[in-house]
Every structure is written in C-alpha cells, then in structure tokens.
C-alpha cells in the first residue's frame, strides 16, 4: 500500500507502516525537531520507501505529490487535523481508500 501520514511527527505511524511492508509512505511534518527525529528513525530502520514532505501539508506541492496515489491516509487528532481533510481526500486513489481519523 501507499500511505500518506499527514502529521508524521517523529514517525509514530510512518516507521511501523514501513516496517510492516508499506510500499511507500509520504510523511508530512513541519516541526524541525520532529523532522530530525523522523529522518533519524528512517535511517535506523534502513528499509522502505519514504518521501518526507517538510513544511505545511496544505501546500500545493504536497497535494500534487500525493494526489490519487494513496490507499490510506493517517490524520491527526480532530479538531486539529481538520485543515488537512482536503489534502487527505485528494490523496486517496480514485477507487477509494481509508481515512484514519483520531478522536481524543
């Protein structure tokens, strides 16, 4: 599967998805400290295909990179992830997919 982790942080979902055999993960994160942790985790994992998209996940560059490519999208906590819903919907393949939405 191809997965979009819209709020990747240090790789809480990204790394296990890759370890479990995801074909490709797009990992979005804008916090520089979290990005450093994510990149180190990817280095230590040493396998899998991951494209880190640093910065605001609502950018057109992100939408274009993920459009119609993903089997599933990992979203963050509602209500904080609501701004990412349009990107998440655009990322799903035309045949559909799964949005993972978290509520606290």
């Amino acid at each position: 599967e191809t997965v979009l982790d819209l709020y990747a942080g240090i790789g809480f979902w990204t790394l296990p998805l890759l370890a479990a055999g995801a074909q490709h993960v797009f990992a979005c994160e804008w916090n520089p400290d979290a990005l450093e942790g994510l990149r180190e985790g990817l280095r230590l994992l040493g396998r899998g295909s991951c494209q880190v998209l640093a910065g605001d996940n609502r950018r057109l560059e992100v939408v274009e990179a993920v459009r119609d490519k993903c089997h599933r999208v990992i979203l963050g906590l509602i209500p904080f992830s609501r701004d990412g819903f349009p990107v998440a919907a655009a990322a799903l393949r035309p045949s559909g997919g799964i949005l993972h939405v978290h509520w606290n």
Side-chain angles (χ1 to χ4, degrees):
E1 288 191 347
T2 298
V3 182
L4 169 59
D5 188 350
L6 209 51
Y7 301 91
I10 61 169
F12 184 82
W13 292 110
T14 297
L15 298 172
L17 286 163
L18 289 167
Q23 179 181 348
H24 184 77
V25 176
F26 294 99
C28 298
E29 182 54 50
W30 66 3
N31 179 299
D33 295 326
L35 281 165
E36 183 179 338
L38 172 62
R39 289 183 173 123
E40 177 65 7
L42 290 167
R43 186 190 70 75
L44 290 171
L45 183 62
R47 64 176 175 190
S49 173
C50 182
Q51 181 178 355
V52 176
L53 300 167
D56 192 329
N57 62 22
R58 297 167 295 178
R59 296 186 331 272
L60 183 59
E61 170 191 345
V62 173
V63 175
E64 290 173 350
V66 302
R67 184 181 307 279
D68 298 333
K69 293 181 181 167
C70 298
H71 296 88
R72 64 182 70 234
V73 178
I74 310 294
L75 287 148
L77 280 171
I78 291 177
F80 307 106
S81 64
R82 285 190 180 146
D83 287 346
F85 284 13
V87 178
L92 293 177
R93 295 165 10 132
S95 60
I98 300 170
L99 295 176
H100 295 268
V101 183
H102 308 271
W103 188 268
N104 192 4

